[in-house]
Structures are given as C-alpha cells and as structure tokens.
Amino acid sequence: MNTLDALKSQCAACQCCDLAYHRHQVVVGRGNPGADLMLIGEAPGADEDSQGLPFVGRSGRLLSELLEAAELDEEQDLHICNVIKCRPPNNRKPTSNEIKQCRPWLEEQIALVNPSLVLLAGATALQALLGIKSGISKLRGQWHEQEGKAFMPVFHPSYLLRFGSREEGSPRALTLQDFQEAKRRLSALRG
C-alpha cells in the first residue's frame, strides 16, 4: 500500500499536463492523514504553490477561522487537499483535461486517507467528485451519499472573501453552519 509521502513524491514527478512546467511545488495535502473528514478544494493558488501546502493564503486564513469557529481542528479533525495538485497560471480554473490528468492522484489520496465525510469546497470539486454541474447555492449543506462516503458541497473560501457580512443567511454564516453540521456528523461517527 502506498503512503501520502510516496504519493507526494509521485505527484512531484508527474508531467501529465502543462501545469508541471509552471509549478514551484506540488501541493498534495495537509492535516491528519487518517482523518474521518476531508475537505477538497479546487486548485493551489500562488501562496500554496510557494509553500507546498493547500489553503494557506487569504482563502486558507478564512477557512481556518471558520473551522475554528465550528470547533474543528484542521490538524487533527480533517485532511485538506485540492482536486488538482499544481497551480494553474494566474489562478485560473483548472481545465477538464487537467482535472482528468490529476484524478488518479486525488483518488489515491482519498483511498489512503479513507474519510467517511468529505466537504467539497466549490463547484469544481463538486463537479470533479460527484459529476454535478449545478451551483453550490442550491446544494450546499446537503449530504450526498456515494461509494460509502457522505459528501457535502460548501462554498469555497475564495468565494466567501467577496462577502464581508457574517449576518444570518450570509454565505459566511451558511458555511459556518455547514462546518458545524460536519462537526456534528464527525462527533456522531466517533460515538
């Protein structure tokens, strides 16, 4: 069986798409490698490419704030990664071919961590994992059972940065509710 360290080495050697020629580092994941909860975003940004870790820029700081408010420890309670492991130029959305080329790495990562619960941050993660092209607004906060795992779409932190409001019903407040629901479900799993 492979390990996450071996996966990182394999990803670092990958040249299946042109992103390999523009990256500084592959960005595989962070957090607990045996977590029951996984959060999957879209792709690394500039800060992530520089540091080799997902969600460490502005979006990552907001993600950390929301996880803490939901009483989720990002180092113990979850494993955080992205659909693709290399930064697209100018932080553009990954192409369908880039997602396809990176898909085996993501599938292996999910198999290695083997979470029961998966949060899909943003439309790209939702489409890549569940094949659903619908917007997040209609599906966020709802669990979708598939292949023995429960998936919940949530707003991507980069989307939340556009809204300062924390009032009830705001995207940030709804995302906090979603994370609190994930915490409840995680606590129930642990008994």
Side-chain angles (χ1 to χ4, degrees):
M1 179 175 215
N2 208 340
T3 65
L4 287 173
D5 285 338
L7 176 66
K8 185 174 181 178
S9 295
Q10 292 167 343
C11 289
C14 178
Q15 296 183 343
C16 290
C17 73
D18 288 344
L19 295 181
Y21 306 105
H22 303 286
R23 70 179 177 227
H24 290 100
Q25 299 187 59
V26 294
V27 180
V28 177
R30 67 179 174 96
N32 183 346
D36 282 323
L37 176 63
M38 180 180 259
L39 181 136
I40 303 174
E42 179 178 284
D47 292 318
E48 291 76 12
D49 186 42
S50 172
Q51 296 181 42
L53 296 168
F55 287 97
V56 293
R58 286 181 60 223
S59 293
R61 287 188 292 278
L62 178 54
L63 175 64
S64 295
E65 178 186 313
L66 289 166
L67 291 170
E68 184 178 339
E71 298 181 6
L72 285 165
D73 183 324
E74 60 191 292
E75 295 303 320
Q76 294 300 315
D77 292 330
L78 68 159
H79 184 80
I80 300 171
C81 65
N82 284 303
V83 170
I84 66 169
K85 309 305 180 198
C86 298
R87 177 186 182 218
N90 302 314
N91 290 342
R92 67 162 167 73
K93 182 179 175 181
T95 67
S96 58
N97 184 57
E98 290 163 351
I99 292 170
K100 179 182 175 187
Q101 294 300 322
C102 217
R103 180 70 189 234
W105 303 128
L106 178 60
E107 288 176 358
E108 186 171 345
Q109 188 169 16
I110 292 170
L112 287 167
V113 175
N114 195 25
S116 299
L117 309 172
V118 181
L119 299 174
L120 301 173
T124 298
L126 175 63
Q127 184 172 347
L129 273 292
L130 299 184
I132 298 173
K133 294 181 181 181
S134 179
I136 293 290
S137 296
K138 294 179 183 177
L139 299 174
R140 58 134 293 274
Q142 301 171 42
W143 292 105
H144 301 265
E145 305 288 332
Q146 189 170 306
E147 298 177 14
K149 300 188 184 321
F151 295 86
M152 182 198 295
V154 298
F155 290 125
H156 194 286
S158 64
Y159 172 77
L160 299 178
L161 288 171
R162 301 178 204 159
F163 304 95
S165 175
R166 298 166 195 260
E167 292 181 23
E168 187 174 336
S170 71
R172 282 190 190 199
L174 293 172
T175 302
L176 177 56
Q177 288 175 9
D178 295 344
F179 287 174
Q180 290 168 334
E181 167 56 25
K183 171 69 174 182
R184 280 190 290 278
R185 186 111 180 220
L186 184 61
S187 296
L189 273 177
R190 294 173 174 167

